[in-house]
Amino acid sequence: MVLEAHLQQAVLLKKVVDAMKDLCNHFIMVLEAHLQQVQSMDSSHVALVALLLRESAFSEFKCDRAASLGMNVDSLGKIFKMCGPNDSLKLRWQNDADTVSFQCESGEDDRIADFDLKLMQIESEHMEIPEQQYKVVARLPSSEFQKVCRDLKEFGETMQIQASKEGIRFSVQGDIGTGNVMMKPRESEKPEEKVTLTVHESVTATFALRYLVTFSKAAPLCSTVELGLGPDSPLSVKYELENADNGFMQFYLAPKIDE
């Protein structure tokens, strides 16, 4: 057995798959001794999603050697529909097998559902994403980020994000007019209600709004989201998997260049 992993909360991976399914059809899961990484790019090569699941997210994690497994996102979504909200999940893969096995187990009513998923041959490089030093890092409630993206998509297709020490402004210009939402830094006793900005220099950048709406669907993963902005660099949208010890899910989006 090359991989044997037991996740106490199958719902964690279900939320991850739900957040990916509008963006990409398949992904590659890279197994290493202490972690699982997942990477995928959307078909237009504008957006990239990366996931890191640390060993500490699992109650058991055994991986004998590094391997890359290609999986279909829609099929995974169907498997996770079999999982109840409190189910645990066992993942097993044997050396060079062409299927990976998923087993959902409920704690109280002794129901076990299992499924063998056929692996895909995906010709794709595992991209090393360089560590970015963002000029602006903003942390805000993920529910508010989701609301801004949903509200503004009614006005146009492109969102401009301006970030300065005063706050972060989301703007959309469309046929019917212009919409803006400004979020200023604010303190709160509850970390999930805070808005914090670290600004080394002010940044203004423009992005395709439909991708941001898709990224914001990952809000159930974590109560806060971290945005990383820099001039001429991709936007980073990062969610911890409930907490930083489990790992994170991170989306990257190339800026729109004015024609």
Side-chain angles (χ1 to χ4, degrees), residues 186-195 224:
R186 64 166 185 247
E187 280 304 316
S188 171
E189 305 228 326
K190 296 179 180 167
E192 68 271 15
E193 290 176 2
K194 274 206 277 203
V195 176
T224 56

Side-chain angles (χ1 to χ4, degrees), residues 135-154:
K135 297 294 180 194
V136 174
V137 175
R139 283 178 183 272
L140 48 141
S142 49
S143 57
E144 290 188 38
F145 176 61
Q146 187 171 32
K147 183 170 175 6
V148 167
C149 293
R150 279 182 180 163
D151 290 350
L152 291 180
K153 84 172 195 311
E154 303 300 327

Side-chain angles (χ1 to χ4, degrees), residues 7-16 51-53 57 85 218-224 239-249:
L7 194 63
Q8 215 51 56
Q9 288 182 299
V11 72
L12 188 65
L13 267 185
K14 183 180 190 300
K15 288 175 185 173
V16 164
L51 171 76
L52 182 81
L53 265 169
L221 282 171
C222 188
S223 58
T224 56
Y239 298 88
E240 289 172 352
L241 302 179
E242 291 175 354
N243 63 62
D245 295 343
N246 289 340
F248 57 83
M249 186 171 194

Side-chain angles (χ1 to χ4, degrees), residues 212-252:
L212 296 174
V213 171
T214 301
F215 298 171
S216 73
K217 287 180 183 169
L221 282 171
C222 188
S223 58
T224 56
V225 60
E226 182 183 288
L227 306 180
L229 281 159
D232 308 320
S233 67
L235 169 75
S236 153
V237 179
K238 184 175 177 181
Y239 298 88
E240 289 172 352
L241 302 179
E242 291 175 354
N243 63 62
D245 295 343
N246 289 340
F248 57 83
M249 186 171 194
Q250 193 162 11
F251 298 93
Y252 298 89

Side-chain angles (χ1 to χ4, degrees), residues 8-238:
Q8 215 51 56
Q9 288 182 299
V11 72
L12 188 65
L13 267 185
K14 183 180 190 300
K15 288 175 185 173
V16 164
V17 171
D18 285 347
M20 290 175 81
K21 66 174 188 270
D22 292 342
L23 196 65
C24 47
N25 305 323
H26 52 254
F27 62 69
I28 294 178
M29 183 182 278
V30 180
L31 306 173
E32 293 175 35
H34 300 295
L35 48 90
Q36 271 178 297
Q37 291 187 69
V38 169
Q39 253 194 18
S40 187
M41 205 152 201
D42 80 302
S43 53
S44 58
H45 289 253
V46 175
L48 173 77
V49 55
L51 171 76
L52 182 81
L53 265 169
R54 293 200 175 87
E55 186 179 6
S56 50
F58 298 89
S59 50
E60 289 169 42
F61 187 85
K62 212 161 73 213
C63 182
D64 303 341
R65 68 176 179 83
S68 297
L69 312 179
M71 297 186 202
N72 179 289
V73 175
D74 275 348
S75 308
L76 274 176
K78 289 171 185 169
I79 292 172
F80 284 119
K81 276 190 179 149
M82 305 193 326
C83 287
N86 302 314
D87 286 10
S88 64
L89 176 75
K90 283 186 176 142
L91 273 174
R92 290 193 186 91
W93 179 66
Q94 298 203 6
N95 199 0
D96 300 329
D98 60 359
T99 60
V100 61
S101 113
F102 291 82
Q103 188 178 65
C104 303
E105 203 170 315
S106 66
E108 55 283 334
D109 61 5
D110 304 325
R111 179 180 54 82
I112 296 173
D114 56 69
F115 194 87
D116 289 342
L117 177 70
K118 287 191 175 128
L119 293 173
M120 299 170 71
Q121 290 295 325
I122 300 172
E123 296 301 320
S124 158
E125 296 295 305
H126 183 73
M127 284 164 285
E128 283 303 319
I129 301 163
E131 274 293 309
Q132 289 272 1
Q133 294 299 315
Y134 290 104
K135 297 294 180 194
V136 174
V137 175
R139 283 178 183 272
L140 48 141
S142 49
S143 57
E144 290 188 38
F145 176 61
Q146 187 171 32
K147 183 170 175 6
V148 167
C149 293
R150 279 182 180 163
D151 290 350
L152 291 180
K153 84 172 195 311
E154 303 300 327
F155 300 102
E157 294 174 1
T158 303
M159 177 141 83
Q160 186 185 65
I161 303 179
Q162 290 172 293
S164 65
K165 288 195 163 61
E166 281 71 60
I168 184 163
R169 179 192 293 275
F170 304 94
S171 314
V172 171
Q173 206 162 1
D175 298 339
I176 61 167
T178 312
N180 294 290
V181 177
M182 174 77 168
M183 292 179 75
K184 296 182 175 177
R186 64 166 185 247
E187 280 304 316
S188 171
E189 305 228 326
K190 296 179 180 167
E192 68 271 15
E193 290 176 2
K194 274 206 277 203
V195 176
T196 60
L197 280 157
T198 307
V199 179
H200 299 293
E201 69 177 67
S202 299
V203 173
T204 300
T206 306
F207 302 96
L209 187 45
R210 67 186 179 93
Y211 287 105
L212 296 174
V213 171
T214 301
F215 298 171
S216 73
K217 287 180 183 169
L221 282 171
C222 188
S223 58
T224 56
V225 60
E226 182 183 288
L227 306 180
L229 281 159
D232 308 320
S233 67
L235 169 75
S236 153
V237 179
K238 184 175 177 181

